[in-house]
Amino acid sequence: MHRTPRPRLRGPAAALAAVALLGGVLTTGATAQAAPRAEGQLTDLVNPFIGTQNEGNTYPGASVPFGMVQLSPDTGHNTGYDYAENHIRGFSAVHLSGVGCGLGGDLPTLPTTGDITQTDYAKYAAEFSHDDEKASPGYYKVGLKTGIDAELTASTRTGVQRYTFPATDKANVLLNAGQSLHRTLSSKVEILDNRTVRTAITGSGFCQDTKAYTVYTITRFDRPFTTSGTWNGDTVTEGSKVSSAAGERNGAWLRFDTGNDRTVEATTALSYVDAKGAALNLRAEGGRSFDRVERAAQRSWEDRLDDVKAQGGSDELRRTFYSSLYRSFLAPNVGSDVDGRYTGWDQKTHHVKGFTYYQNWSLWDTYRTQAQLLSLLAPRESRDMAISVLRIDAESGWLPKWGYGTVETNIMTGDPVTPFLTNAYQQGLLKGYEEEAYRALKKNADGVPPTDSAPVGREANVQYLKDGFAPYIKDRPHAKPGDSDFDHGASATLEYALSDAMLGEMARDLGHDADAKRYEDRAQNYRKIFDPSTGFFRARDASGAFTGPADPAQSEGFHEGTSWQYQWLVPQDLPGMVGLIGGKDAANQRLDSFFAYDKLLADPAKTAREVWVNGPYAYYNADKYNPQNEPDLIAPYTYLSTGQPWKTTDVVHAALTLFTDDPTGMTGNDDLGTMSAWMVLSSIGVFPVQPGTDTWGLSTPAFERVDLTLDRRYYPHGSFTVKAPGTSDADRYIQSASIDGAAQSRTYLTTEDIRSARSLAFTVGSAPSAWGTSPADAPPALG
């Protein structure tokens, strides 16, 4: 999801120098870099600054995999950190990787010296240089031009900061409770004793207003402060212990004497339940030195990255690959406290039973790539994530669409929760929860949330179930905050139909045959918006008439895309969609035009940067592939169904050149790991071409060998290896494939293939072959 109310294009664009396929690009003048680690560590290859410029909207700060805390600097960008900025307003505790609108940024904390004269963090922000900045997984350090060094690390529910001050009796730490990346509705700060500060912060907003949520924090310093106070608005009061505000600036300041001991450490614990939860989280995970926490964070990341061992490829490819793998594990995030309590979407306190509760659901994005990658590499966590989504339904009455913390935002459209959950089911992650999940999905697929509930669900479902399409109704008033399916009727129809197909597969497996037939029939509703006069999908109004521009390169009726881009979003029935276009020859001609294939062959990297991508938010009114946005992420794999699988490799490998090892090296918003997971899976050569099922399409790997360590509870062999000896820019075409030595002519695998086999091997060459070109080799249509 790439929405932002005010796109801000700052700093130099990514270098446009011609590059070798899958090679490196020229770096910018940036000097910030990954922090050095022990020799041979995979964490050495991760650059957290990738995507921090040109609206990738990533963050460089410290976290652990799926941690509740993401402690990172905020520079003034609406989503947190912008590499083009040179002032830090504070190090705040909550961030999401690659969101398109302001979200999080709670409790920005900044070390200063001297008197407290400003209470607006835009005014007291500290200048810094990238020359004095470095980061690696679980660690961040910056030298501020005030003479203070700041270091950050994290555990699951705490963030730890270490400040090294100059010698002074006025070394301050400012805890700002009243300003954040979203709208702060109210805040309260309490100085409990000479080492401890507690806050409660209630906020709202993500692209639009949402229901409010509250995060509770408690910060414990490693030594007493000499004096303290609070501020409220412009008023600074020394000695004050408590301050509350309703949307105004509000915070606490603590002062230390650093004449002899120049370092100050502070540990902040979070809870989305209450102050008790924050205190329990601090007691469980606090009390350790900065260095101990940092080493533990680094080990947790090394353990994650070590499950994927890639051999071959350029140095830059390896860095971008492992950086993408790192970002794929940043979310969803732990939402339950150490005592098992969490706040449900009914705003009541609940207890986990046999699982960890997770939150933050960018489902319109993640259902296409990241959910599948996690189901492969983190199945235990993926299981708990799916169960957490089911708890949202049980406690609030409806499944989520785009959930943040304890509330629904209703951002984006369609029905993304269905393929998210059916993927979990198809990957074997919902054992014991199959019928509960099915009941929730059936309710979601066949109904609409009531007007007094926050979610919009399938907002256009009444019309869709009656007529077979979601109508596009221009300028229709929004009944609830967030996005409306009626504003994007054509793309909503395609998303509904995709979800119906996935639910039909699940219904058939569970023996609900009548339901399965009904959903399978509805999966064909994509045909209802096909306009034979244009040969493309097109929006229809409430009366059924085609509406909006006939030009398929226009975006009206489609969400963040055009008919050119959405025409390939029929993974449930690509043969049927190809038939509508006029057959395989016509489809291949259209695909070649879509990807500018002739230009791509002549100069892949230039085509990717100048023909496909024209800016981080330039995904409207275009007739070309847009690899930086979700609607056509699967599109390169359409060639698997049109008898020309070698072109999938050509397109995928050209798109991979967009991922580079510098701050502009993220292709569009990361969207909680969506784009990063695309890069990882496409580099391995195994991609989820039918999201919501267990089907994985194949293309030539970017590496000669990738060894995956898998959880034996889900994958009995405990490993799976993908091999492509000699793969290179020149030798990138599959000549043959085999699974455990047996010939594999199909252009896809199933999850069961991965479970039962030990290796997938490709032989590659310099020219396309007949491999995978038979109609029987293509991924099958569903239903």
Side-chain angles (χ1 to χ4, degrees):
M1 188 280 301
H2 299 78
R3 297 190 52 191
T4 184
R6 295 177 300 278
R8 303 161 69 186
L9 307 182
R10 299 178 177 170
L16 296 179
V19 298
L21 193 60
L22 292 181
V25 299
L26 297 178
T27 60
T28 66
T31 55
Q33 56 189 303
R37 296 286 192 180
E39 177 121 10
Q41 299 291 299
L42 291 175
T43 47
D44 290 347
L45 299 175
V46 175
N47 180 0
F49 292 102
I50 293 174
T52 59
Q53 189 172 349
N54 205 27
E55 305 299 324
N57 294 349
T58 58
Y59 62 85
S63 64
V64 296
F66 312 122
M68 181 184 290
V69 172
Q70 308 86 32
L71 188 58
S72 190
D74 295 327
T75 63
H77 188 273
N78 68 316
T79 66
Y81 182 95
D82 185 343
Y83 198 87
E85 301 280 3
N86 65 351
H87 282 75
I88 290 175
R89 298 180 174 190
F91 306 103
S92 62
V94 179
H95 296 84
L96 293 182
S97 181
V99 293
C101 301
L103 194 62
D106 300 287
L107 198 66
T109 303
L110 190 71
T112 69
T113 57
D115 295 328
I116 311 298
T117 60
Q118 296 286 351
T119 63
D120 182 347
Y121 66 2
K123 295 180 178 179
Y124 65 65
E127 188 177 0
F128 75 104
S129 166
H130 296 305
D131 293 332
D132 299 317
E133 187 183 34
K134 59 184 177 181
S136 60
Y139 178 77
Y140 172 89
K141 181 178 182 180
V142 64
L144 303 176
K145 292 195 174 181
T146 54
I148 304 168
D149 287 342
E151 298 171 90
L152 315 178
T153 190
S155 67
T156 298
R157 298 173 180 86
T158 74
V160 185
Q161 305 187 47
R162 179 164 64 191
Y163 310 122
T164 303
F165 288 93
T168 177
D169 61 357
K170 289 184 177 181
N172 312 309
V173 178
L174 310 184
L175 274 64
N176 189 333
Q179 293 180 289
S180 62
L181 299 176
H182 53 76
R183 189 160 61 95
T184 301
L185 300 177
S186 66
S187 63
K188 182 178 182 180
V189 296
E190 300 173 272
I191 300 175
L192 302 181
D193 56 41
N194 65 358
R195 293 177 60 182
T196 313
V197 181
R198 183 167 65 194
T199 75
I201 302 169
T202 299
S204 174
F206 173 44
C207 299
Q208 302 179 42
D209 284 340
T210 62
K211 289 181 64 177
Y213 74 94
T214 300
V215 60
Y216 302 87
T217 81
I218 187 165
T219 301
R220 180 78 170 169
F221 290 86
D222 67 335
R223 61 184 173 111
F225 29 86
T226 58
T227 189
S228 63
T230 65
W231 72 82
N232 195 304
D234 292 322
T235 303
V236 178
T237 307
E238 184 171 355
S240 170
K241 300 298 184 183
V242 179
S243 180
S244 298
E248 295 84 19
R249 299 192 301 277
N250 190 39
W253 55 274
L254 309 316
R255 178 162 293 165
F256 300 84
D257 186 336
T258 56
N260 295 317
D261 183 356
R262 294 176 55 200
T263 64
V264 174
E265 294 187 11
T267 301
T268 299
L270 265 59
S271 171
Y272 289 84
V273 179
D274 54 23
K276 174 186 174 183
L280 290 173
N281 292 340
L282 180 65
R283 183 184 303 169
E285 299 184 17
R288 295 177 295 166
S289 70
F290 182 96
D291 289 333
R292 286 186 60 194
V293 176
E294 191 273 331
R295 286 193 297 268
Q298 190 271 335
R299 286 194 301 269
S300 70
W301 280 114
E302 191 66 31
D303 288 344
R304 284 287 175 189
L305 300 179
D306 191 55
D307 286 342
V308 183
K309 293 184 177 178
Q311 300 178 28
S314 68
D315 289 343
E316 176 158 7
L317 174 63
R318 288 173 55 78
R319 290 194 299 270
T320 56
F321 177 81
Y322 279 103
S323 297
S324 295
L325 185 61
Y326 158 76
R327 290 189 300 271
S328 299
F329 290 120
L330 291 174
N333 305 102
V334 170
S336 50
D337 293 335
V338 292
D339 63 354
R341 296 184 305 149
Y342 66 92
T343 296
W345 282 26
D346 56 0
Q347 305 309 307
K348 297 178 181 178
T349 301
H350 301 274
H351 287 78
V352 296
K353 294 181 180 178
F355 72 104
T356 297
Y357 183 79
Y358 287 87
Q359 58 192 24
N360 301 333
W361 306 105
S362 182
L363 295 175
W364 188 81
D365 310 286
T366 59
Y367 89 78
R368 308 166 200 260
T369 58
Q370 195 241 12
Q372 292 84 355
L373 180 63
L374 295 188
S375 71
L376 187 66
L377 298 178
R380 283 178 292 173
E381 292 85 353
S382 293
R383 171 187 178 273
D384 287 359
M385 291 168 189
I387 295 171
S388 299
V389 168
L390 294 180
R391 297 316 302 157
I392 291 173
D393 173 78
E395 291 155 8
S396 71
W398 217 259
L399 289 168
K401 179 170 286 188
W402 210 121
Y404 175 63
T406 63
V407 300
E408 173 66 85
T409 72
N410 290 323
I411 294 301
M412 306 314 294
T413 48
D415 178 18
V417 71
T418 292
F420 172 82
L421 282 175
T422 61
N423 170 73
Y425 166 74
Q426 297 289 356
Q427 308 299 341
L429 305 179
L430 285 179
K431 294 197 185 311
Y433 291 87
E434 296 94 337
E435 289 297 337
E436 178 183 348
Y438 181 73
R439 287 192 300 271
L441 287 168
K442 180 178 179 180
K443 176 178 61 178
N444 175 75
D446 293 342
V448 179
T451 56
D452 61 351
S453 66
V456 295
R458 285 196 184 197
E459 186 183 16
N461 220 18
V462 172
Q463 296 86 342
Y464 174 80
L465 297 181
K466 175 178 175 289
D467 301 321
F469 62 89
Y472 166 54
I473 305 177
K474 192 173 184 178
D475 299 324
R476 181 180 183 272
H478 287 205
K480 300 177 183 181
D483 289 310
S484 171
D485 290 344
F486 291 107
D487 288 343
H488 313 281
S491 57
T493 299
L494 296 174
E495 299 269 12
Y496 288 6
L498 182 157
S499 295
D500 283 335
M502 305 312 162
L503 186 53
E505 290 286 295
M506 183 178 181
R508 185 74 67 189
D509 286 349
L510 294 176
H512 301 293
D513 291 342
D515 285 350
K517 177 64 166 60
R518 186 160 51 88
Y519 295 130
E520 289 162 3
D521 289 345
R522 280 163 41 178
Q524 294 293 308
N525 280 341
Y526 72 89
R527 298 174 180 269
K528 298 288 182 65
I529 62 166
F530 184 78
D531 183 356
S533 71
T534 65
F536 285 85
F537 295 128
R538 193 175 173 194
R540 304 181 82 146
D541 64 21
S543 72
F546 287 110
T547 186
D551 181 358
Q554 299 300 304
S555 300
E556 194 166 352
F558 294 87
H559 203 172
E560 294 192 359
T562 68
S563 184
W564 266 100
Q565 292 155 352
Y566 271 96
Q567 69 184 309
W568 316 112
L569 192 64
V570 192
Q572 72 271 24
D573 186 21
L574 281 176
M577 186 274 290
V578 168
L580 289 178
I581 290 175
K584 288 185 178 180
D585 288 344
N588 281 324
Q589 290 177 23
R590 189 174 290 186
L591 284 164
D592 289 351
S593 174
F594 181 61
F595 293 115
Y597 188 73
D598 291 341
K599 292 181 179 179
L600 181 155
L601 287 181
D603 195 331
K606 184 177 181 180
T607 301
R609 291 194 174 275
E610 297 184 7
V611 179
W612 294 350
V613 175
N614 296 291
Y617 294 100
Y619 40 70
Y620 293 106
N621 306 328
D623 64 353
K624 292 296 182 285
Y625 173 50
N626 187 344
Q628 66 181 9
N629 203 20
E630 280 73 13
D632 51 358
L633 287 183
I634 309 170
Y637 296 88
T638 306
Y639 282 120
L640 303 184
S641 295
T642 62
Q644 297 184 335
W646 67 89
K647 292 183 178 178
T648 289
T649 289
D650 288 333
V651 174
V652 167
H653 283 209
L656 286 172
T657 65
L658 294 168
F659 294 84
T660 63
D661 184 29
D662 63 32
T664 62
M666 167 61 60
T667 172
N669 299 164
D670 194 31
D671 290 321
L672 276 67
T674 298
M675 304 310 300
S676 293
W678 188 96
M679 192 275 175
V680 170
L681 290 163
S682 294
S683 297
I684 294 173
V686 179
F687 188 86
V689 292
Q690 292 175 327
T693 73
D694 62 347
T695 304
W696 305 82
L698 304 180
S699 65
T700 307
F703 296 101
E704 292 195 285
R705 179 179 178 127
V706 179
D707 293 290
L708 306 177
T709 300
L710 305 177
D711 191 323
R712 289 185 180 275
R713 284 174 290 186
Y714 298 90
Y715 301 91
H717 293 310
S719 64
F720 188 74
T721 298
V722 180
K723 296 180 283 189
T727 185
S728 67
D729 297 347
D731 295 327
R732 64 177 184 270
Y733 297 110
I734 298 172
Q735 308 297 302
S736 64
S738 62
I739 299 180
D740 286 351
Q744 161 79 9
S745 63
R746 298 179 307 172
T747 59
Y748 67 96
L749 299 178
T750 66
T751 298
E752 186 54 39
D753 292 331
I754 297 174
R755 286 199 183 100
S756 60
R758 295 182 183 275
S759 68
L760 167 67
F762 297 99
T763 56
V764 295
S766 60
S769 74
W771 177 84
T773 56
S774 167
D777 296 334
L782 304 183

